[in-house]
Amino acid sequence: MASTALPPTSLNPYQQTHEEKEQQYPVHYRGVKDLVDNGSRTLPQIYVKPPDERLVINSDQQQIPLIDLSELEGAGRSAKVEAIGRACRDWGFFLVKNHGVSESTMENEMRVGREFFHLPTEEKMRYFSTDHKSRMRYATSFNVKEDKTLNWRDFLRYSCKPLEEMVPLWPDKPTDFRKENSEYIRKIGDLASILLSAISESLGLPSEYINEVYGDYSQYMAYNFYPACPNPEQTLGLPGHSDPGGLTLLMQDDVGGLQVLHEDHWVVVRPVPNTLVINLGDQLQILSNDIYKSVEHRAVVNSNRERISVATAYGPSMSTLIAPAPQLVNSSSPAVYKGCVYGDFLDSLESGSLHKKSVLDCLKLDMS
Ligand code: OGA
Ligand code: NI
């Protein structure tokens, strides 16, 4: 994910035949949809999570804030910026409506993703790679080679930049995948930049501060596909994690499964039609010098219905040094983190498994 170069030839998914991949990879590398399609009616042991990871502490009482963006430009701006700031500080997560991405653009983006995961496994395996640096890959779990227990998730993950270079590498089936993705990516990228201006302002920084720091920003898309699961209470679609990047903009279908850790409770993020879920990643926690947090979240699965979500990870360019904004550092609030180049941050994270805040902790300055 961190790389701007294509993976080395030996790992380049485009240069391996189906047979080579079959021989090279264990059967569970083919994904959970494939497992279900082949008649598996029980949960294989490798998907069973240790009890402490599954522990259910749900709160149905609370909801993440819902912010209407229709008045963000104009007289209502300062109130909206304040609401966004409060949501960032209190939750690290919020929903937005009237966000400028049209209903049809959202629906089409969902549809082509769903159609992709319903293609025969052989078709999806054309894009399979275990190389987390690959700019376009289909895979399963999180890091299937390293994960101690597997996650009940298949995914398709790809870079959007530079667009002209990336589009020909995206799946050619379904036939309108590339067209619909190009449309969605433009719209969601515009929204990300608008939200980052508001977030800058909410921190008391110049409106374009974060966008300027991000420079030639990075944008990755990830479709997450969670088939109905035989024993959902024993596994997870995605275990608790924080997102490493800047801002994540997530579209989820009407099934539900996303949970956010808030005051030691897993709060359910109920699907609300035509909204997007926005959350702050590690690079905003660092830049805001811990004023805003990159909050842990996870995806649970269920036994009735498959679920799909589409995450956009919008962040700094890989070569950008991310450090606390100097305006937010002073003698009463000293810098909490040392700076780190975003690409290096991702390298340390992705060579391991998807886990908590270890990389962030390494960047902590000694405050004693
Ligand atoms: C992610 C993620 C949650 C979901 O893709 O990073 O947290 O509900 N997804 O799919
Ligand atoms: Ni996430």
Side-chain angles (χ1 to χ4, degrees):
M1 150 172 175
S3 170
T4 48
L6 276 173
T9 312
S10 63
L11 288 170
N12 188 337
Y14 305 100
Q15 300 194 352
Q16 284 181 309
T17 65
H18 296 164
E19 290 71 25
E20 277 169 344
K21 286 182 182 173
E22 296 271 306
Q23 282 164 7
Q24 188 177 345
Y25 302 126
V27 66
H28 62 260
Y29 280 32
R30 296 163 61 88
V32 276
K33 172 80 167 61
D34 185 78
L35 196 74
V36 172
D37 289 349
N38 282 302
S40 185
R41 293 288 170 266
T42 53
L43 188 71
Q45 192 60 34
I46 194 165
Y47 294 93
V48 175
K49 298 288 174 193
D52 63 327
E53 270 191 49
R54 284 186 265 145
L55 211 61
V56 184
I57 347 165
N58 271 339
S59 169
D60 278 338
Q61 309 305 318
Q62 288 176 296
Q63 287 281 285
I64 66 171
L66 169 59
I67 299 174
D68 184 342
L69 294 183
S70 48
E71 285 163 28
L72 185 59
E73 307 302 327
R77 185 169 181 88
S78 63
K80 291 292 162 190
V81 166
E82 202 188 307
I84 290 171
R86 207 175 317 122
C88 291
R89 211 171 30 245
D90 296 349
W91 287 86
F93 262 85
F94 52 99
L95 292 172
V96 290
K97 67 176 183 182
N98 296 319
H99 41 60
V101 186
S102 77
E103 224 168 288
S104 64
T105 302
M106 290 172 75
E107 271 169 23
N108 286 330
E109 178 71 1
M110 277 289 185
R111 176 180 52 78
V112 294
R114 201 178 292 283
E115 286 174 13
F116 175 82
F117 287 97
H118 281 272
L119 291 170
T121 304
E122 270 56 40
E123 183 62 31
K124 289 182 281 188
M125 289 301 278
R126 286 173 60 201
Y127 306 102
F128 180 84
S129 169
T130 56
D131 179 10
H132 60 77
K133 288 194 167 212
S134 174
R135 289 196 295 166
M136 158 69 217
R137 69 178 182 130
Y138 162 75
T140 188
S141 193
F142 173 67
N143 183 347
V144 71
K145 260 164 73 179
E146 305 288 336
D147 295 337
K148 289 195 182 65
T149 58
L150 298 184
N151 306 314
W152 195 261
R153 168 183 86 135
D154 298 337
F155 64 96
L156 182 71
R157 189 166 190 288
Y158 46 97
S159 172
C160 310
K161 291 196 69 191
L163 197 59
E164 327 70 70
E165 201 178 296
M166 288 312 301
V167 172
L169 301 181
W170 296 347
D172 50 9
K173 291 192 188 105
T175 46
D176 48 354
F177 184 96
R178 293 176 181 175
K179 174 175 156 283
E180 296 304 343
N181 266 274
S182 305
E183 170 72 9
Y184 183 79
I185 279 159
R186 269 192 214 102
K187 293 284 157 56
I188 204 86
D190 290 347
L191 175 62
S193 165
I194 288 168
L195 286 169
L196 286 175
S197 300
I199 291 172
S200 290
E201 287 175 39
S202 75
L203 287 164
L205 299 167
S207 191
E208 286 317 301
Y209 182 86
I210 300 175
N211 282 312
E212 278 168 14
V213 167
Y214 284 6
D216 184 19
Y217 63 90
S218 60
Q219 188 176 348
Y220 268 79
M221 299 291 298
Y223 278 103
N224 300 303
F225 186 79
Y226 310 96
C229 174
N231 293 95
E233 64 290 340
Q234 294 191 356
T235 190
L236 287 165
L238 270 177
H241 67 281
S242 66
D243 292 345
L247 204 62
T248 303
L249 303 91
L250 184 99
M251 169 165 61
Q252 61 169 339
D253 67 11
D254 61 343
V255 176
L258 174 61
Q259 300 182 347
V260 174
L261 193 61
H262 181 68
E263 296 168 353
D264 296 329
H265 291 276
W266 288 104
V267 173
V268 174
V269 179
R270 286 212 192 81
V272 180
N274 298 318
T275 62
L276 293 159
V277 185
I278 311 296
N279 69 287
L280 280 61
D282 297 342
Q283 305 313 309
L284 284 176
Q285 178 165 338
I286 297 171
L287 182 138
S288 74
N289 202 34
D290 260 357
I291 297 174
Y292 296 160
K293 293 288 190 327
S294 160
V295 168
E296 208 178 308
H297 54 285
R298 67 183 186 181
V300 301
V301 289
N302 75 85
S303 57
N304 301 318
R305 291 177 67 192
E306 69 184 35
R307 171 171 183 256
I308 190 165
S309 69
V310 193
T312 304
Y314 189 101
S317 78
M318 295 302 157
S319 57
T320 298
L321 180 83
I322 296 293
Q327 296 93 320
L328 303 177
V329 174
N330 53 50
S331 55
S332 55
S333 38
V336 180
Y337 302 101
K338 58 186 170 203
C340 182
V341 173
Y342 181 45
D344 295 344
F345 185 96
L346 291 177
D347 279 348
S348 1
L349 188 79
E350 289 174 359
S351 48
S353 196
L354 179 71
H355 255 303
K356 308 232 167 113
K357 301 261 186 192
S358 46
V359 186
L360 216 49
D361 284 342
C362 291
L363 295 177
K364 278 217 157 124
L365 290 163
D366 187 1
M367 308 287 262
S368 54

